[in-house]
Amino acid sequence: MSDLRELYQEIILDHNRSPRNFGVPEQSNRTAKGYNPLCGDIVTVYLLLKGNVVRDIRFEGRGCAISIASASIMTELIVGKTEIEARRLFQFFHDFVTGEETVEFSEELEELTALSGVRDFPMRVKCATLAWHSMAAALDGDGATVATE
Ligand code: ZN
Protein backbone atom coordinates (compact mmCIF):
# COMPACT_ATOMS: atom_id res chain seq x y z
CA MET A 1 0.00 0.00 0.00
CA SER A 2 1.43 3.37 -0.96
CA ASP A 3 1.77 6.20 1.55
CA LEU A 4 -0.86 8.18 -0.30
CA ARG A 5 -3.28 5.31 -0.11
CA GLU A 6 -2.70 4.99 3.61
CA LEU A 7 -3.32 8.70 4.04
CA TYR A 8 -6.57 8.46 2.08
CA GLN A 9 -7.61 5.49 4.15
CA GLU A 10 -6.85 7.38 7.35
CA ILE A 11 -8.93 10.41 6.30
CA ILE A 12 -11.90 8.20 5.43
CA LEU A 13 -11.68 6.22 8.67
CA ASP A 14 -11.37 9.41 10.71
CA HIS A 15 -14.52 10.92 9.18
CA ASN A 16 -16.33 7.63 9.58
CA ARG A 17 -15.35 7.38 13.25
CA SER A 18 -16.29 10.94 14.08
CA PRO A 19 -18.48 12.39 11.34
CA ARG A 20 -18.61 16.19 11.27
CA ASN A 21 -21.95 17.96 11.46
CA PHE A 22 -23.74 14.74 12.29
CA GLY A 23 -27.24 14.79 13.74
CA VAL A 24 -30.55 16.58 13.37
CA PRO A 25 -30.19 20.36 13.60
CA GLU A 26 -32.52 22.51 15.69
CA GLN A 27 -33.20 24.65 12.66
CA SER A 28 -33.42 23.67 9.01
CA ASN A 29 -35.65 24.58 6.09
CA ARG A 30 -34.61 22.08 3.43
CA THR A 31 -34.16 18.36 3.76
CA ALA A 32 -33.82 15.32 1.55
CA LYS A 33 -33.23 11.64 2.06
CA GLY A 34 -30.97 9.44 0.06
CA TYR A 35 -30.90 5.70 -0.24
CA ASN A 36 -28.36 3.50 -1.94
CA PRO A 37 -29.95 0.04 -2.25
CA LEU A 38 -26.77 -1.52 -3.61
CA CYS A 39 -24.93 -0.97 -0.36
CA GLY A 40 -27.72 -0.15 2.10
CA ASP A 41 -26.52 3.39 2.78
CA ILE A 42 -29.16 5.77 4.08
CA VAL A 43 -28.62 9.46 4.61
CA THR A 44 -30.76 12.48 5.44
CA VAL A 45 -29.35 15.91 4.72
CA TYR A 46 -30.65 19.02 6.48
CA LEU A 47 -29.97 22.50 5.18
CA LEU A 48 -30.57 25.87 6.64
CA LEU A 49 -30.79 28.08 3.58
CA LYS A 50 -30.94 31.82 4.17
CA GLY A 51 -30.92 34.22 1.26
CA ASN A 52 -29.35 31.61 -1.05
CA VAL A 53 -26.54 30.84 1.39
CA VAL A 54 -26.23 27.53 3.19
CA ARG A 55 -25.91 28.71 6.78
CA ASP A 56 -25.95 25.23 8.25
CA ILE A 57 -25.79 21.70 6.90
CA ARG A 58 -26.08 18.50 8.87
CA PHE A 59 -26.73 14.90 8.14
CA GLU A 60 -27.69 11.70 9.80
CA GLY A 61 -27.84 8.16 8.61
CA ARG A 62 -25.94 4.94 8.48
CA GLY A 63 -23.89 3.21 5.89
CA CYS A 64 -20.45 2.19 4.83
CA ALA A 65 -17.34 4.20 5.68
CA ILE A 66 -17.23 5.74 2.20
CA SER A 67 -20.78 7.07 2.37
CA ILE A 68 -20.36 8.50 5.87
CA ALA A 69 -16.94 10.01 5.18
CA SER A 70 -18.13 11.60 1.95
CA ALA A 71 -21.16 13.10 3.72
CA SER A 72 -18.97 14.39 6.52
CA ILE A 73 -16.45 16.02 4.19
CA MET A 74 -19.30 17.44 2.13
CA THR A 75 -20.85 19.24 5.10
CA GLU A 76 -17.53 20.91 5.84
CA LEU A 77 -17.24 22.15 2.28
CA ILE A 78 -20.84 23.23 1.74
CA VAL A 79 -21.43 25.32 4.84
CA GLY A 80 -21.23 29.01 3.99
CA LYS A 81 -21.54 28.40 0.25
CA THR A 82 -24.22 29.87 -1.95
CA GLU A 83 -26.72 27.57 -3.60
CA ILE A 84 -24.91 27.95 -6.92
CA GLU A 85 -21.51 27.23 -5.38
CA ALA A 86 -22.91 24.16 -3.64
CA ARG A 87 -24.31 22.80 -6.91
CA ARG A 88 -21.03 23.55 -8.65
CA LEU A 89 -19.12 21.63 -6.00
CA PHE A 90 -21.43 18.67 -6.46
CA GLN A 91 -20.81 18.72 -10.19
CA PHE A 92 -17.09 18.97 -9.60
CA PHE A 93 -17.09 16.05 -7.18
CA HIS A 94 -19.31 14.00 -9.46
CA ASP A 95 -17.00 14.57 -12.42
CA PHE A 96 -14.05 13.66 -10.26
CA VAL A 97 -15.35 10.31 -8.96
CA THR A 98 -16.88 9.26 -12.24
CA GLY A 99 -13.57 10.03 -13.89
CA GLU A 100 -15.09 11.94 -16.75
CA GLU A 101 -12.71 14.79 -16.26
CA THR A 102 -9.34 15.49 -14.85
CA VAL A 103 -10.00 18.06 -12.21
CA GLU A 104 -7.74 20.47 -10.41
CA PHE A 105 -8.08 20.60 -6.66
CA SER A 106 -7.79 23.79 -4.73
CA GLU A 107 -6.40 23.46 -1.22
CA GLU A 108 -9.86 23.79 0.26
CA LEU A 109 -11.03 20.70 -1.59
CA GLU A 110 -8.02 18.55 -0.90
CA GLU A 111 -9.79 16.20 1.49
CA LEU A 112 -12.06 15.13 -1.35
CA THR A 113 -9.11 13.48 -3.03
CA ALA A 114 -9.22 10.90 -0.23
CA LEU A 115 -12.25 9.50 -2.03
CA SER A 116 -10.39 9.04 -5.30
CA GLY A 117 -10.17 5.28 -4.68
CA VAL A 118 -13.83 4.87 -5.59
CA ARG A 119 -13.11 5.81 -9.20
CA ASP A 120 -12.17 2.22 -9.95
CA PHE A 121 -15.34 0.86 -8.39
CA PRO A 122 -18.60 2.07 -9.96
CA MET A 123 -20.65 0.63 -7.10
CA ARG A 124 -18.60 2.66 -4.64
CA VAL A 125 -19.24 5.81 -6.63
CA LYS A 126 -22.86 5.51 -5.53
CA CYS A 127 -21.75 5.37 -1.90
CA ALA A 128 -19.55 8.43 -2.31
CA THR A 129 -22.14 10.54 -4.13
CA LEU A 130 -25.22 9.60 -2.09
CA ALA A 131 -25.04 12.50 0.37
CA TRP A 132 -24.25 14.88 -2.48
CA HIS A 133 -27.30 13.81 -4.46
CA SER A 134 -29.34 14.30 -1.30
CA MET A 135 -27.86 17.76 -0.74
CA ALA A 136 -28.77 18.76 -4.31
CA ALA A 137 -32.27 17.35 -3.86
CA ALA A 138 -32.65 19.36 -0.66
CA LEU A 139 -31.70 22.49 -2.60
CA ASP A 140 -34.27 21.59 -5.25
CA GLY A 141 -37.07 21.49 -2.76
CA ASP A 142 -38.20 20.17 0.55
CA GLY A 143 -38.95 16.58 1.42
CA ALA A 144 -37.49 14.76 -1.57
CA THR A 145 -36.14 11.24 -1.48
CA VAL A 146 -33.44 10.25 -3.90
CA ALA A 147 -32.23 6.78 -4.71
CA THR A 148 -29.05 5.98 -6.55
CA GLU A 149 -30.86 3.37 -8.63
ZN1 ZN B 1 -21.88 2.26 0.73
Side-chain angles (χ1 to χ4, degrees), residues 36 38-41 63-68 123-124 126-128 130:
N36 174 16
L38 287 175
C39 184
D41 311 313
C64 65
I66 297 281
S67 68
I68 299 297
M123 278 180 57
R124 286 308 199 176
K126 296 187 189 302
C127 301
L130 181 65

Side-chain angles (χ1 to χ4, degrees), residues 91 94-103 119:
Q91 189 61 50
H94 191 269
D95 290 348
F96 169 60
V97 291
T98 55
E100 281 164 19
E101 251 176 66
T102 312
V103 291
R119 300 178 78 159

Side-chain angles (χ1 to χ4, degrees), residues 53-149:
V53 175
V54 179
R55 293 290 176 197
D56 194 19
I57 173 168
R58 287 170 193 276
F59 78 102
E60 59 164 359
R62 57 191 149 79
C64 65
I66 297 281
S67 68
I68 299 297
S70 185
S72 175
I73 294 170
M74 177 190 77
T75 59
E76 288 189 312
L77 293 176
I78 294 297
V79 69
K81 296 285 191 294
T82 65
E83 187 176 344
I84 290 168
E85 287 168 339
R87 289 183 193 279
R88 222 177 261 152
L89 262 179
F90 173 42
Q91 189 61 50
F92 174 85
F93 180 64
H94 191 269
D95 290 348
F96 169 60
V97 291
T98 55
E100 281 164 19
E101 251 176 66
T102 312
V103 291
E104 289 282 326
F105 280 89
S106 63
E107 205 172 311
E108 185 200 9
L109 303 179
E110 243 174 2
E111 258 192 329
L112 282 180
T113 60
L115 296 161
S116 60
V118 307
R119 300 178 78 159
D120 301 325
F121 305 96
M123 278 180 57
R124 286 308 199 176
V125 169
K126 296 187 189 302
C127 301
T129 56
L130 181 65
W132 293 79
H133 279 292
S134 307
M135 181 273 292
L139 286 175
D140 287 341
D142 198 32
T145 299
V146 292
T148 54
E149 285 303 287

